[in-house]
Amino acid sequence: RPPPIASGIAGAERLDLWVRDSSQPGGWASRNYWLSLPPAYSRWSPQMLVLDFHGFYDTARRERREDRLAFFVDEWQLDIVVAEPHGSGDAYSGDSRAWNVDGNGLNTEPGPQGPTCLAPRYNGDGWNDRYKCYDSCAGCDSTWGCNFASCMDDRSLVASLFRRLSATLCLDLEAIHLTGISAGGLMAYQAALDFSDLVASAAPVAGSRIWGYNRAPRHPVSLLDLHGFDDVYVPANASNGFGGAPDGATTSHDRFFYHEVPAITRQFARAAGCNLTANRPHPTKFDGLRRLSCNEPHGACASGASVVQCVGEWGHTWPLHHLHPFAYADLVLGFFSRHPKARGVHGAAFPPAWLLGEDAGEGQGEGEGEGAAVRAVQR
C-alpha cells in the first residue's frame, strides 16, 4: 500500500508501484505516478478518479503544472482524485517516456491495414522523425521501423494503478475517467478501449489511433475529443496533415499515420448505441472563444453515453490554453461529472468480475486487453 498522503495539490506526492511486465528482466517493472487528493478528502465519501496521461517529451510532474487539472480541483474544492502515471522510459534507453499503445512495437512489420509510418525514417533533414530504439523493443530498427515508444507493458501499469487506488482510497467506481495530451491522448484512447467495462468516459486532447488499430470499445464509454485546427503533430483530419497517408488516414509531422477523428468517434458511437445520423450541438460556456465549438456528430446514444468532438483555433496543445488557463480543466471535469458509467445497451454486470483480482501487480488482460485483474472495492 502507498504511504499516507496529504490532501490538496500541496500534498501531492510521487508514489512507486511494482507492475508485472514480461518485457523486463525478472518479469517485473518499477513504475511511479503522482497522486493528489481532494482538499476535503474523506475515506467515507466516494470520489471521482481521473487518470491524466502526459505527452511524449513530458513527465507526470510537469503535466500537472501545465494542464492545471489538479490545481483546478484544489481551487474549486472538488471531490476528485487525480493521478498522473509516468510513462515507460525504459531506463532512458529511448527518446522519451511515451506510451506503448496499439501499433507501437511493430518495428518493420505492417499493421492490419499496412504500414503505420513512412520509411525510411530521417533525422536532421527538417523532419527529425527517427526515434531511438528502446531496450525493451527486441529487433528494433530506427531507420526502417515505426516504433515510437518503449515496449514496456503500460496496460499492466494502468491495471495495477486501478487496483492500488481502489484498494486504498474511497472511489466511486462509476466515476472512473481518463484524459491526456498528445502521446497521452493516444494512451487515454487505449485505456478506454482496454478497460471499457470500467471506464466511464475519456477526454483525449490531440489524441488519435495509429492507422490500422481503430476499433470500438466493447462497452459504452463517453468520449470528449479535443483537437485544434492547427495541430500537425497528431492531425485530426487529412486536410491538416502531410502527404503520403493511405486513404482514410492522415500523416503527422513525424510521418506516422493516424485514423481521422470522425472515424474514431464513429466507433465509440456504435458501442454507445448512438443513432449515427443526427448531428447535434453540444453547448459549452467557452463557445466562440478562438472559434471553439463542440458537437455530437452521431446524435443521441441509447446507452446514455455521449460522443462529443470539440475543435477550435489552436495547435498541438490544450484548448484555449493561453487565453483561459483553466478552460481545459473546466471542460473535461464538467463532462466527466455529467457522464457516470453508461451500461445501457450491453446490460453488462457492474462492477465487472475482473475487478476482483489478486494482490497488486498481478494479472493481465483477457481478450483485447479488457479483464486485466484489478483489485477494486465498490463503495
Side-chain angles (χ1 to χ4, degrees):
R1 288 175 180 251
I5 186 168
S7 298
I9 191 69
E13 292 186 31
R14 180 182 133 160
L15 302 171
D16 298 322
L17 77 165
W18 284 93
V19 175
R20 280 199 184 277
D21 192 330
S22 60
S23 75
Q24 300 299 297
W28 290 85
S30 177
R31 305 293 296 270
N32 63 77
Y33 62 99
W34 284 79
L35 179 69
S36 59
L37 303 184
Y41 174 76
S42 166
R43 59 180 297 192
W44 308 113
S45 177
Q47 313 286 307
M48 176 192 296
L49 171 65
V50 177
L51 262 58
D52 184 8
F53 299 98
H54 64 77
F56 189 81
Y57 287 116
D58 222 332
T59 66
R61 187 175 188 179
R62 286 202 298 264
E63 175 82 356
R64 68 190 303 107
R65 292 200 305 263
E66 293 168 355
D67 71 11
R68 305 187 66 78
L69 197 68
F71 289 92
F72 187 85
V73 169
D74 203 55
E75 178 73 19
W76 292 98
Q77 305 281 298
L78 303 177
D79 291 332
I80 301 173
V81 174
V82 180
E84 290 106 346
H86 207 49
S88 49
D90 201 2
Y92 296 99
S93 60
D95 285 307
S96 78
R97 289 185 174 270
W99 302 98
N100 184 14
V101 300
D102 292 339
N104 177 60
L106 291 172
N107 198 30
T108 59
E109 296 297 318
Q113 292 179 253
T116 58
C117 74
L118 284 171
R121 314 294 289 162
Y122 293 108
N123 202 7
D125 67 345
W127 286 97
N128 296 320
D129 61 7
R130 181 191 294 176
Y131 298 120
K132 294 179 182 178
C133 288
Y134 291 79
D135 292 345
S136 58
C137 296
C140 175
D141 184 332
S142 63
T143 300
W144 292 97
C146 294
N147 295 33
F148 52 85
S150 87
C151 295
M152 292 179 70
D153 194 342
D154 288 326
R155 292 175 181 84
S156 183
L157 168 65
V158 174
S160 296
L161 194 52
F162 281 146
R163 179 183 298 117
R164 160 74 69 84
L165 297 178
S166 59
T168 57
L169 299 174
C170 185
L171 299 180
D172 180 356
L173 293 182
E174 294 192 343
I176 307 296
H177 307 275
L178 309 167
T179 188
I181 186 169
S182 188
L186 270 67
M187 189 60 195
Y189 267 122
Q190 184 70 56
L193 293 168
D194 289 342
F195 302 99
S196 68
D197 51 358
L198 174 65
V199 170
S201 68
V205 181
S208 190
R209 294 290 289 166
I210 294 294
W211 178 247
Y213 292 91
N214 186 29
R215 58 183 170 90
R218 294 182 181 177
H219 305 274
V221 176
S222 291
L223 178 66
L224 175 66
D225 183 277
L226 299 144
H227 243 104
F229 292 140
D230 301 324
D231 188 349
V232 298
Y233 294 99
V234 184
N237 297 285
S239 58
N240 59 324
F242 294 81
D247 288 344
T250 181
T251 309
S252 64
H253 184 271
D254 58 355
R255 305 195 305 164
F256 278 92
F257 302 148
Y258 293 97
H259 284 273
E260 295 184 288
V261 168
I264 300 171
T265 61
R266 190 173 184 85
Q267 292 282 37
F268 277 76
R270 284 175 175 150
C274 305
N275 63 32
L276 301 179
T277 56
N279 183 10
R280 64 181 190 176
H282 185 90
T284 78
K285 66 172 70 174
F286 301 105
D287 287 355
L289 293 178
R290 298 200 67 176
R291 295 175 61 196
L292 184 144
S293 65
C294 301
N295 68 306
E296 299 173 28
H298 311 290
C301 307
S303 64
S306 295
V307 177
V308 179
Q309 183 177 2
C310 295
V311 295
E313 227 167 41
W314 58 83
H316 192 67
T317 188
W318 297 273
L320 308 178
H321 190 52
H322 299 293
L323 179 65
H324 195 311
F326 280 133
Y328 155 73
D330 200 337
L331 281 168
V332 302
L333 294 180
F335 183 81
F336 293 163
S337 68
R338 295 188 298 273
H339 292 88
K341 183 58 185 169
R343 299 189 291 280
V345 295
H346 289 278
F350 192 87
W354 61 263
L355 280 172
L356 302 177
E358 301 300 327
D359 56 334
E362 292 193 5
Q364 295 296 311
E366 57 187 25
E368 294 178 317
E370 288 189 38
V374 178
R375 173 65 177 168
V377 179
Q378 187 178 27
R379 297 175 169 90

